[in-house]
Amino acid sequence: ISDGHNIQSLLKCFPRYFEAPAGRTALVAWTIIPELGTLILDVIDYHAARRLLGDAFIAPVSGIGYAYLYRYGDEAGDKEGVVRRMFLSLTSDYITKLRLIMIWPMVPSGPMLRDVLRGYAEGANHVEAVFPDFGQVGRYLEATYLLEVGGRQIPVFHALTGGTPRAESFRAALADVSRPAFVNVFALNWNVSPADLAALQATLGGGYVVASPEELIRLYLEAHGAGGI
């Protein structure tokens, strides 16, 4: 179930950033739809060989396909959640094949509910962090938190601002937040280039550090006494 955007990203959009890396200094979690490890593994290998040290891959946009889990299977009368569990099980299988530890699910509007996020963490139980939404959350305390799942602490980093990140938006959202604070900077690849991210990093200036996705997970867990990955 996909509108094809993730395939087009790998074939037509991402390569221009990987082939011409001038100005590409900000570390990025590149979205890579899990089943493409079966369909176009050579293309994934191409990107993996050219990423920056600290770049990561993250599973979008719902798992094995573009679907909204909170209503997935409703038309099939899935009152017991069997179809949802199958979706999550397949997602877990394909994520495991690509050794992905992060997932980026989304909903069409508003922030994704915690019960739905818990379903992802339970259904794909080796996922170590969730980066949900499409720039839907404006307050830090609603955006970044720990989710208790089966005795595990799963960091959740909702996108704090829209798909075109701006320094003033982050400053406003974090104005009254005690430090350290940990933020998911979401950038929509159709209208944000790596050079734009480097400029954002320079504009933010002192007091802000761009971390790799895996560093963000580790530092957040350490800051909250929840161990590391």
Side-chain angles (χ1 to χ4, degrees):
I1 340 172
S2 176
D3 57 5
H5 282 179
N6 293 295
I7 297 173
Q8 295 305 312
S9 294
L10 284 173
L11 295 178
K12 296 184 178 180
C13 186
F14 290 174
R16 68 174 184 260
Y17 300 145
F18 282 74
E19 292 167 2
R24 189 164 83 82
T25 58
L27 302 177
V28 174
W30 302 92
T31 56
I32 203 159
I33 193 167
E35 62 267 39
L36 295 190
T38 299
L39 298 173
I40 51 172
L41 185 57
D42 287 347
V43 176
I44 295 174
D45 288 343
Y46 166 89
H47 289 87
R50 289 163 176 78
R51 56 185 171 176
L52 297 178
L53 182 65
D55 276 354
F57 289 142
I58 184 171
V61 57
S62 311
I64 59 164
Y66 201 140
Y68 301 130
L69 191 66
Y70 73 98
R71 69 185 187 205
Y72 185 70
D74 285 353
E75 292 185 4
D78 185 33
K79 299 186 183 301
E80 303 300 322
V82 174
V83 175
R84 287 186 182 88
R85 287 194 296 274
M86 289 175 62
F87 179 89
L88 288 170
S89 177
L90 284 170
T91 293
S92 182
D93 289 345
Y94 279 97
I95 287 176
T96 302
K97 289 177 182 178
L98 284 183
R99 298 192 296 277
L100 303 177
I101 63 167
M102 299 170 284
I103 191 166
W104 167 51
M106 60 167 284
V107 288
S109 62
M112 181 167 278
L113 299 176
R114 294 195 185 199
D115 284 348
V116 179
L117 296 178
R118 185 171 284 105
Y120 274 104
E122 291 172 343
N125 57 18
H126 65 284
V127 165
E128 296 177 6
V130 186
F131 292 75
D133 301 326
F134 220 97
Q136 308 283 0
V137 180
R139 294 183 66 250
Y140 176 75
L141 293 179
E142 296 173 355
T144 303
Y145 53 84
L146 284 171
L147 192 65
E148 295 273 354
V149 179
R152 297 190 301 148
Q153 301 263 31
I154 305 297
V156 175
F157 303 99
H158 288 265
L160 190 61
T161 65
T164 305
R166 294 183 171 86
E168 59 269 22
S169 301
F170 290 108
R171 292 196 187 102
L174 298 172
D176 300 319
V177 176
S178 60
R179 300 300 198 269
F182 304 86
V183 175
N184 168 14
V185 179
F186 174 67
L188 190 62
N189 62 266
W190 307 123
N191 59 342
V192 178
S193 72
D196 294 330
L197 295 179
L200 171 67
Q201 183 176 357
T203 303
L204 284 170
Y208 295 87
V209 176
V210 175
S212 72
E214 291 179 351
E215 286 177 324
L216 182 69
I217 298 168
R218 177 179 58 81
L219 292 170
Y220 182 71
L221 288 173
E222 289 177 356
H224 288 78
I229 63 172

